[in-house]
Amino acid sequence: MLSKKAQYAFRALSTLVRSDLALRKEQNGGVSTPGEHPVAISEMVKEHPMSSKFLETILLDLRRGGILGSKKGKGGGYYLLKHPEDTPLAQVIRILDGPIAPLPCVSLHFYERCVDCNEAVCGLNRLMSEVRDANLAVLERRTLADLAVKPGQPLGQSQR
Amino acid sequence: MLSKKAQYAFRALSTLVRSDLALRKEQNGGVSTPGEHPVAISEMVKEHPMSSKFLETILLDLRRGGILGSKKGKGGGYYLLKHPEDTPLAQVIRILDGPIAPLPCVSLHFYERCVDCNEAVCGLNRLMSEVRDANLAVLERRTLADLAVKPGQPLGQSQR
DNA sequence: TATTTCCCCATAGGATTTGTGGGGTTAAGA
DNA sequence: TCTTAACCCCACAAATCCTATGGGGAAATA
């Protein structure tokens, strides 16, 4: 199960994606770039009711994780560092919830050796690797861009 | 991530599966049936070091969940109620860890409505449904029988 | 009757998650 | 230069969940 952190992250990110898309549309007319029009926490909370303080820690994690940039001071806020299609959901989840794999011993980014588990006899590793791969097949393919697709609209097979 | 409970459960179950397979082999010679040769907690702990008391609560859950039968008194213990291929891994996980879905609002067995989430705008539900389905594709197909397959041996595409 | 084993309940201890508070720094604008 | 708005950082409080233990009871076997 996703943590609240990850859920809140996705909600905030969906706001940023929409803002990003709107800006890029304008930009075709040669106007602005995302870093110049960041979205403040107060804006995001207006759209998705939650604790601003808590959201703040989440957004800081996302910034440290290389997904967001930020601008301080009046008129400041957060913005996407890359095109929405270039950030897979897996990256967000890893930053906030850690491993995607169901066991540490089959994790790609957070591997830990299995204690008390005789690997020569353990039939679980392979099965859980299958589960991990099934997850990643979705989470590495789907991106922030898919977050902005509303329930009614069709979701492409591959955005990239 | 799987809880310790689920991990321990799978270890204990792998012992029961092997015991079951051995008995069925004998049974072809017309000897015994699983319920008559249960495996005691003390036996399982000998093979997989862990707290007996903790394992006890786990096995009770599995019994209540319809996966195991038990026999009291001297010579008692636990045994599989069905053929190993008839118990998908998903069933074990649901008993011990609850929902497999990444969000309550996309769970099949533990559904809960999303509060604070405007479903008309929420692009996350559909994506997480995809993740859920990817998981279930593995966890409903793989069964306890696959637990007994050692790392060296080939794992079939479908056991049933 | 003694022993072994499962059964049930309560709860302790620890870890993790969730959320809050306060003080600092940076930037914009009057 | 002053005020205000916003991010930044750290510490910690509160709640929840996970992990594990303890003790007494009931059933089965010999």
Side-chain angles (χ1 to χ4, degrees), chain A residues 85-107:
Chain A
E85 319 90 64
D86 290 332
T87 301
L89 303 183
Q91 193 182 346
V92 176
I93 294 176
R94 288 199 182 101
I95 289 171
L96 295 163
D97 287 1
I100 286 167
L103 290 178
C105 64
V106 301
S107 172

Side-chain angles (χ1 to χ4, degrees), chain B residues 3 8 18 38 41 57 66 71 84 87 91 95 117 141 148 150 154:
Chain B
S3 67
Y8 293 161
R18 274 203 308 285
I41 289 178
T57 69
K71 202 179 164 216
T87 301
Q91 193 182 346
I95 289 170
C117 162
R141 180 166 55 90
K150 302 218 171 37

Side-chain angles (χ1 to χ4, degrees), chain A residues 67-92:
Chain A
I67 289 178
L68 299 183
S70 64
K71 201 175 166 223
K72 292 185 186 173
K74 194 179 259 186
Y78 295 88
Y79 54 92
L80 297 177
L81 282 177
K82 298 186 287 190
H83 286 223
E85 319 90 64
D86 290 332
T87 301
L89 303 183
Q91 193 182 346
V92 176

Side-chain angles (χ1 to χ4, degrees), chain A residues 109-148:
Chain A
H109 287 69
F110 299 85
Y111 174 81
E112 281 176 44
R113 207 181 110 266
C114 235
V115 276
D116 301 333
C117 163
N118 186 346
E119 300 216 4
V121 182
C122 177
L124 197 57
N125 296 61
R126 188 164 22 167
L127 294 170
M128 289 305 127
S129 297
E130 270 192 47
V131 174
R132 176 205 62 204
D133 290 342
N135 270 285
L136 289 182
V138 177
L139 294 174
E140 296 285 12
R141 181 166 55 89
R142 294 300 183 191
T143 70
L144 296 186
D146 295 308
L147 269 184

Side-chain angles (χ1 to χ4, degrees), chain A residues 3-5 8 51 53-54 57 71-74:
Chain A
S3 68
K4 293 284 180 193
K5 268 190 169 181
Y8 293 160
S51 153
K53 263 320 215 174
F54 194 35
T57 70
K71 201 175 166 223
K72 292 185 186 173
K74 194 179 259 186

Side-chain angles (χ1 to χ4, degrees), chain A residues 5 52-62 64 96:
Chain A
K5 268 190 169 181
S52 333
K53 263 320 215 174
F54 194 35
L55 179 57
E56 186 183 26
T57 70
I58 293 166
L59 294 171
L60 286 173
D61 284 342
L62 291 175
R64 295 189 193 109
L96 295 163

